[in-house]
Structures are given as C-alpha cells and as structure tokens.
Amino acid sequence: KAGVTQTPRYLIKTRGQQVTLSCSPISGHRSVSWYQQTPGQGLQFLFEYFSETQRNKGNFPGRFSGRQFSNSRSEMNVSTLELGDSALYLCASSRTDLTYNEQFFGPGTRLTVL
Amino acid sequence: AQKITQTQPGMFVQEKEAVTLDCTYDTSDQSYGLFWYKQPSSGEMIFLIYQGSYDEQNATEGRYSLNFQKARKSANLVISASQLGDSAMYFCAMRAGSARQLTFGSGTQLTVLP
C-alpha cells in the first residue's frame, strides 16, 4: 500500500508570492490534516479535512487555506508569503477522524521564503 | 486544552542498550489516544506506537513499548536493544476527546552511540 505522498518536496519562494502544496493520502483514508513544523514553534496544527469538509482549523491567519477533493487528495495554499512561513509542511492521513485512528505522515514539503 | 510535555531535549544511549523517553500529558477528556512518532533528519514522521486511554495493557510494537501510567498521566516510550538507525527526533503526541488534531510535545533528540 502506497504511503502518503506530498508534492513538491522542496520549494523556494519570495515574500509576497503564493504557494500551493499537494497531499495524496493513503488509499481509503478520508481524513487529511496539515501541520507546520518550525524550529521555534515546533509542530503546529493547521487544519483538517474529512470528506471534503474542513472540520477543524488551527490558529493561523487567513492567508493559510486548504481544500479537499472528492478523491481525498488535499491542497493547502499560502498567499502573500512572509519570511516566517519558511517551514516543513507535513500532511497526515487517517482512515477516519476518530480518536484512536493513527495518523500517517508524508515526507513533507520544505518551503523556504526569501 | 491538551498539553504534551517532553522534558528531555536530548538523550544518548549505547548501542544494544534500552532507553526510555519521557512523556507526560494533560487533558480533561476521558477518551484520548497517545502516539509516538520518530522523525529522522530526512523529515518524515514515522508512526511507532499507539495507546488508547481505555487500553488496560501497555502497547508493544516490536522493539517499542509504551509504559502507560494513567494516574501519573505519563506515556513513556521504551526502545529495547537500541540500534544506530534509531538516532532521530522522537515526538509524543495526543488526540483527545472531540479534538481532531494531534497535539505534539517538543521532542527528544536520541543519539545512539556505537
């Protein structure tokens, strides 16, 4: 069974630009969550989608948005990039949104904002 | 609100010895799940082990076991017979009640010495 895939793996952007990251969950998984990892703030939850609906959102500005498609693939978008958006963005999928379901992570997209 | 505390920023262990990574948690929910992840320098988060709040037995997965002490709110990870490939950052995480996201600790950097 293929794992969670994320594209692209690396991105370099400049301030003010926008970026779209993509995540394909494990086949059969309907829940996709996004996390931002930085050395200073650690791992922070961005948002979670289940069956194309955003179920939960972390404490991030409106520049961060996302969506999920009918095949459970998800994208996140960051507009008007700031230097502080430089981070590893991790996507995780789980079969359902229940507490006991493990979340399996992809390799991440490393975004650098210059 | 949920909180995970990992008090060991870095740990060293000799190859083939056992090591315990500490994790304490705080939640007011009765139903929760505790997870451990391994993050090598490549960045991918690898799921290791899961313990549910209602599980009476400690979880085990190969060389990994979780020492779950509910009254103390601790969920320590024990790695037996350490290998050089175990060198990585280890994160304890929790998913509690109706919260859909994982709350992560700050991590422990484990180094296995030959």
Side-chain angles (χ1 to χ4, degrees), chain B residues 31-112:
Chain B
S31 174
Y32 52 88
L34 295 156
F35 304 79
W36 276 92
Y37 287 88
K38 170 185 178 182
Q39 188 177 42
S41 56
S42 60
E44 183 173 359
M45 297 282 279
I46 302 167
F47 167 74
L48 295 178
I49 197 167
Y50 164 82
Q51 179 84 40
S53 58
Y54 296 117
D55 295 339
E56 294 187 353
Q57 290 193 327
N58 287 341
T60 59
E61 289 286 349
R63 295 186 299 109
Y64 304 106
S65 61
L66 200 152
N67 185 0
F68 182 47
Q69 298 188 44
K70 199 169 182 177
R72 293 187 175 186
K73 292 191 173 181
S74 74
N76 299 337
L77 176 71
V78 180
I79 306 174
S80 62
S82 298
Q83 302 171 356
L84 295 178
D86 293 335
S87 293
M89 183 73 89
Y90 288 80
F91 290 96
C92 179
M94 174 170 62
R95 203 178 193 186
S98 60
R100 294 181 165 81
Q101 73 270 25
L102 287 170
T103 298
F104 286 87
S106 55
T108 296
Q109 180 69 48
L110 176 67
T111 303
V112 180

Side-chain angles (χ1 to χ4, degrees), chain A residues 43-63:
Chain A
L43 280 148
Q44 293 185 288
F45 170 74
L46 280 157
F47 26 65
E48 186 243 357
Y49 288 88
F50 183 78
S51 293
E52 301 180 66
T53 301
Q54 186 180 93
R55 303 291 285 270
N56 201 7
K57 191 177 193 306
N59 189 23
F60 279 83
R63 300 185 296 106

Side-chain angles (χ1 to χ4, degrees), chain A residues 1-5 24-30 72 93 104:
Chain A
K1 202 176 205 181
V4 179
T5 58
S24 293
I26 292 171
S27 177
H29 285 195
R30 295 166 63 192
S72 293
S93 78
F104 294 92

Side-chain angles (χ1 to χ4, degrees), chain A residues 41-85:
Chain A
Q41 299 297 319
L43 280 148
Q44 293 185 288
F45 170 74
L46 280 157
F47 26 65
E48 186 243 357
Y49 288 88
F50 183 78
S51 293
E52 301 180 66
T53 301
Q54 186 180 93
R55 303 291 285 270
N56 201 7
K57 191 177 193 306
N59 189 23
F60 279 83
R63 300 185 296 106
F64 291 81
S65 63
R67 58 178 175 168
Q68 186 180 34
F69 302 95
S70 58
N71 62 358
S72 293
R73 190 177 71 84
S74 177
E75 288 181 348
M76 69 162 280
N77 184 277
V78 188
S79 62
T80 319
L81 284 166
E82 300 177 359
L83 295 179
D85 297 334

